[in-house]
Structures are given as structure tokens and as C-alpha cells.
Amino acid sequence: MQVLSTLAILPTLALGAVLPAALQSGTKIIKRDSWGGSVSLGPTKSDIINAVTTLIPGTAPSTQNGELFLWPGMSNSTGDLIQTTMESWASNAWCGATTGQWCVRASIFGSFGQLDGTGSPVSGDDQVRIEYNLLSDDNTWVQTVTNAVTGAALSNYSYPAGPYMTGYGTGTECDDDCTGTVAAQFYLNTTITLREADTTFGDTIATGAGATYTGLSSSEGGKVWTIATISVPAMGSETAVASSTSTATAHATPVATTVAVAEESSTVATSIPAAASGAASSGQQSQQHQGHQGQKGHQGQSGSGEQECF
Ligand SMILES: *[C@@H]1O[C@H](CO)[C@@H](O)[C@H](O)[C@H]1NC(C)=O
Ligand SMILES: *[C@@H]1O[C@H](CO)[C@@H](O)[C@H](O)[C@H]1NC(C)=O
Ligand SMILES: *[C@@H]1O[C@H](CO)[C@@H](O)[C@H](O)[C@H]1NC(C)=O
């Protein structure tokens, strides 16, 4: 089922601001859904036309109680959400992964629900290059996922999401009492290219729940922004986890590429903190990750959060 009201699909980015707030308020980790560390940028006064990062995801949990997602996401917080995602489900066999491996697939979330490229297995020490590129038609976004070392194609997806992307950020998303990350994640050489220079874009950077970064710099007068490293700790400590509130999100059911059609798909409730750095942030946004074939009945929570501007 796809419950995707307008509010329920609000994209998620700029996690940094809300997570510290949640921790400071004494929020305990009592909700089903929680968040690991994050680093985000936005909104830019311009718009993003290209973004590249190389994600080293760390070993996936050997067993999975819920669903765990790692991603760099890009959006304007109300429109389509571009989000290539590392996924850990109770079984990751749908993409051919073995114990300790992730499945990666390019995905986009919008009013249409969730659309995905095919999934591929990824090992913890793999370097996964994730590029989001706006084509010269100024409308089509191409997600290209490759092994940065071998060049092997892992997933891709193209969709006419339009020239509206203003924020970019990482997420470590723990749904349905997930088994959290057991290793740190690293995003290397994250490079965001804007349409026009925005010398203040770097000022919008925000971190949450123990994530750190090094080497924030810009070139071409503020048109190209680079973060040398983003480090997200494993979710083993309280400081590395923030509970989420409010609206739901869900990742769409991955359908095994080597198998026929899923008999049933289900939504998975998730919540995404969506505070925008530098923006008034009072709500959470949502998306829904659909479960893969064979996943049963994680009923999505309907979202009611307010959207963020960033
Ligand atoms: C956000 O993106 C959507 C398209 O996904 C667009 O319709 C909307 O106008 C954009 N909002 C802003 C504030 O740019
Ligand atoms: C994109 O993925 C499809 C499978 O979904 C594959 O057939 C195609 O070769 C890929 N394209 C690129 C450029 O990797
Ligand atoms: C960093 O990424 C950019 C954009 O993909 C690329 O042009 C550059 O060569 C990379 N630098 C390093 C040191 O890998």
C-alpha cells in the first residue's frame, strides 16, 4: 500500500538542526523509528545541478529486526526526493546480498510514490560512488551508482524531477525497531555543484547525532562545494541516535530482480527529521520505503508533520 499524501512524501534533508534539539529536550529513544548521525547542507540560494559522493557503508548488521537505511538525499523539502539508499532488511536476498552486505538502489520519492532502479549487493568496505546529475534539459535527474574502485554499475534511475534541488544531506534511518548500524559510515569527497555561486551555502551545514565532517571548502567563487569527509558513528551510543517524531516515511518494497512479481507489498513506517538548518523547523517530513517481496505488513504511519523549508 502506498499512503502518500502530499505531506506524507515530504522529502527529507537538513537533518542536523532537529536532531540536537531532540536530544537536548531529553527525548528518549522510545519510538520505533530513530536516526543516526547526519550532515546536511541547505537551502542554497541557487539550486543544485550535480552532487557526487562516495559512501563506504561499513558492515551491515548480520541480522535485521526492522529496516535500516543509509543515504545521501537531495530535495527542496517539498518536492521530489532523490535518494540512493543502502538498505538492510530481514533478508537482503532480493538483491543478492549475503550476511553483512547491504543492498543499494537508486530511488526517487514523490507524489507518485517510490520508483527504483535495480538493487545490487554492497560489502561494508566497498566504495560506492553515488552521483546525482541534472541533464541539460534542466529537468531530468540521473542517479548513477557505481563501485568507485572497479567502475561496476550498481544501480541507476532517471526521473524528470525538475531543477528545484536546494538541499543535500545524509541520513541513517532506523525503522521499526531496526537493528542499528554496527559500523561507522564514511562519505568521501562529497562535491555539490550549484547553478550559480552561493557564497553562503557552506554556512548552512548542520550536523546531528555525533556525525562530523572535515574539509568543507568551495571553489569557483562558491559554485562548487566539497566536504572531504563525513563520518557517521555506529548507532551504539545514545549520542549517535536521535528518536524521531511526527510524520511517517517509508521505503518502497524492493522486488527481487531475479524473481517475478511480488504478491504483495507493504509500506513501512518511518519518520524523518527534517529540520532545515537556518530555517524554521517545526516538523518532520516523511517518505515511505516500501518493503521488498516477502516483507509483510509494516503498516505505515500516516504523516502529519509540517514541512520544512531549506
Ligand atoms: C520544489 O520542487 C517541486 C518539484 O519537485 C516544485 O514543484 C516546487 O515548486 C519546488 N519548491 C520550491 C520552493 O522551489
Ligand atoms: C541502469 O540500470 C539498468 C538496470 O536497471 C541497466 O540495464 C543499465 O545498463 C544501467 N545503465 C547504466 C548506465 O549503468
Ligand atoms: C572529488 O570529486 C570530484 C567530483 O566528482 C572530482 O572531480 C574530484 O576529482 C574528486 N577528488 C578526489 C581527490 O577524489
Side-chain angles (χ1 to χ4, degrees):
M1 136 181 180
Q2 296 196 359
V3 180
L4 293 170
S5 67
T6 301
L7 282 176
I9 57 160
L10 294 178
T12 176
L13 284 182
L15 304 168
V18 75
L19 295 179
L23 292 171
Q24 286 161 14
S25 68
T27 304
K28 298 295 184 186
I29 302 168
I30 55 173
K31 308 239 174 154
R32 291 190 312 166
D33 304 334
S34 60
W35 292 87
S38 63
V39 174
S40 61
L41 284 153
T44 174
K45 296 168 183 170
S46 180
D47 63 275
I48 297 165
I49 59 172
N50 181 275
V52 186
T53 193
T54 297
L55 171 55
I56 303 175
T59 303
S62 55
T63 60
Q64 182 50 261
N65 184 60
E67 303 86 36
L68 175 63
F69 304 105
L70 314 176
W71 42 256
M74 187 177 68
S75 170
N76 68 11
S77 90
T78 63
D80 295 343
L81 169 62
I82 291 172
Q83 191 183 80
T84 292
T85 307
M86 304 278 170
E87 309 191 14
S88 170
W89 296 80
S91 169
N92 263 1
W94 58 274
C95 78
T98 56
T99 300
Q101 287 188 312
W102 303 89
C103 294
V104 67
R105 57 179 171 164
S107 300
I108 185 164
F109 297 82
S111 56
F112 43 81
Q114 178 179 345
L115 300 170
D116 310 290
T118 56
S120 294
V122 166
S123 296
D125 59 357
D126 280 347
Q127 299 185 26
V128 180
R129 184 180 186 276
I130 301 169
E131 176 166 9
Y132 304 154
N133 188 52
L134 181 62
L135 297 186
S136 57
D137 66 3
D138 212 30
N139 193 34
T140 304
W141 279 96
V142 178
Q143 299 178 60
T144 305
V145 189
T146 55
N147 182 304
V149 174
T150 67
L154 299 176
S155 188
N156 66 77
Y157 204 79
S158 297
Y159 190 84
Y164 308 109
M165 302 300 165
T166 55
Y168 183 95
T170 73
T172 295
E173 176 183 351
C174 175
D175 300 342
D176 293 301
D177 285 321
C178 91
T179 306
T181 51
V182 296
Q185 303 107 62
F186 299 96
Y187 294 80
L188 306 182
N189 189 24
T190 303
T191 302
I192 300 167
T193 303
L194 306 177
R195 184 183 305 271
E196 309 284 351
D198 175 1
T199 57
T200 63
F201 188 50
D203 299 336
T204 67
I205 197 163
T207 63
T212 58
Y213 65 90
T214 65
L216 173 65
S217 63
S218 66
S219 60
E220 298 185 39
K223 184 178 176 191
V224 178
W225 290 84
T226 300
I227 307 166
T229 61
I230 292 171
S231 303
V232 180
M235 299 172 81
S237 68
E238 192 169 344
T239 55
V241 179
S243 67
S244 60
T245 59
S246 207
T247 64
T249 67
H251 289 257
T253 303
V255 176
T257 55
T258 56
V259 182
V261 178
E263 62 272 11
E264 180 183 352
S265 67
S266 59
T267 55
V268 177
T270 77
S271 299
I272 295 189
S277 57
S281 50
S282 59
Q284 315 279 351
Q285 67 195 18
S286 337
Q287 66 190 74
Q288 296 187 322
H289 297 272
Q290 288 183 352
H292 66 78
Q293 177 176 2
Q295 289 288 332
K296 286 292 181 183
H298 296 288
Q299 176 63 48
Q301 300 169 305
S302 65
S304 60
E306 301 173 27
Q307 70 191 52
E308 301 301 324
C309 299
F310 73 101

